[in-house]
Amino acid sequence: SSNSSSSSNSSSSSNSSSSSNSSSSSNSSSQCLSWANESANNALEMADILDSVSYNSTDASVGLISLSTYESYLQSDLRKAKNLYNKQLSINPNASNLTSHNYFLDAMEDLIDGIDYAILGVQQNDPYYIEIGISFIESSGNNAVLASSSLSSC
């Protein structure tokens, strides 16, 4: 539940800063380009994390890596996902990209929650938690698609 409150806080703070920054159109355009470039880099990083989770999950499921190795890889991916979320949170979209920005933050929150549940499933030896983790990760992908489809050009 702390994630949902941070999501609503982030949308209100980025909304107020984006409206105050759009006073001049050239400033808004450079803000838009800066946000778009950083978001694109963050999207690539997020895809790398998703690939890592996917490959390592497959390797663990067929016994190529031990569960303790799998857990340490998940912990590493979780740290990367949290750092990525904070990077995205620190950039401000222009007003027309606020919806995309918030979907992107939702995607990152779902990725963090998904990895958290996968780690819990490994630690508790409980596949139910891993299933929950997978559903969060699928939701992350859906939110990433929504973020892309709601992009406005600069």
Side-chain angles (χ1 to χ4, degrees):
S1 67
S2 67
N3 273 353
S4 60
S5 67
S6 72
S7 172
S8 59
N9 290 347
S10 69
S11 66
S12 61
S13 66
S14 40
N15 192 11
S16 62
S17 56
S18 68
S19 57
S20 65
N21 284 348
S22 59
S23 53
S24 86
S25 60
S26 64
N27 183 23
S28 178
S29 174
S30 68
Q31 178 191 10
C32 179
L33 289 169
S34 172
W35 173 85
N37 288 334
E38 289 186 59
S39 293
N41 288 337
N42 291 346
L44 291 173
E45 234 179 287
M46 185 175 162
D48 286 345
I49 296 169
L50 283 164
D51 284 347
S52 174
V53 170
S54 176
Y55 294 140
N56 293 327
S57 297
T58 300
D59 285 355
S61 71
V62 299
L64 284 176
I65 58 174
S66 69
L67 288 180
S68 64
T69 298
Y70 178 48
E71 184 187 343
S72 72
Y73 289 158
L74 287 171
Q75 295 282 6
S76 172
D77 288 331
L78 181 61
R79 279 190 299 277
K80 290 176 189 169
K82 287 178 175 177
N83 288 338
L84 188 61
Y85 176 78
N86 288 328
K87 274 171 55 178
Q88 186 67 24
L89 202 55
S90 73
I91 59 175
N92 289 316
N94 59 316
S96 62
N97 277 312
L98 189 59
T99 299
S100 177
H101 182 72
N102 287 332
Y103 276 130
F104 203 19
L105 290 173
D106 288 344
M108 292 178 176
E109 289 171 4
D110 287 343
L111 177 59
I112 290 167
D113 288 343
I115 297 171
D116 258 335
Y117 274 108
I119 291 169
L120 189 61
V122 172
Q123 290 171 342
Q124 304 288 325
N125 194 24
D126 188 338
Y128 175 69
Y129 288 119
I130 294 174
E131 290 298 319
I132 294 173
I134 291 168
S135 67
F136 270 108
I137 290 169
E138 287 171 352
S139 174
S140 173
N142 293 338
N143 279 318
V145 169
L146 289 169
S148 297
S149 64
S150 58
L151 277 171
S152 297
S153 59
C154 296

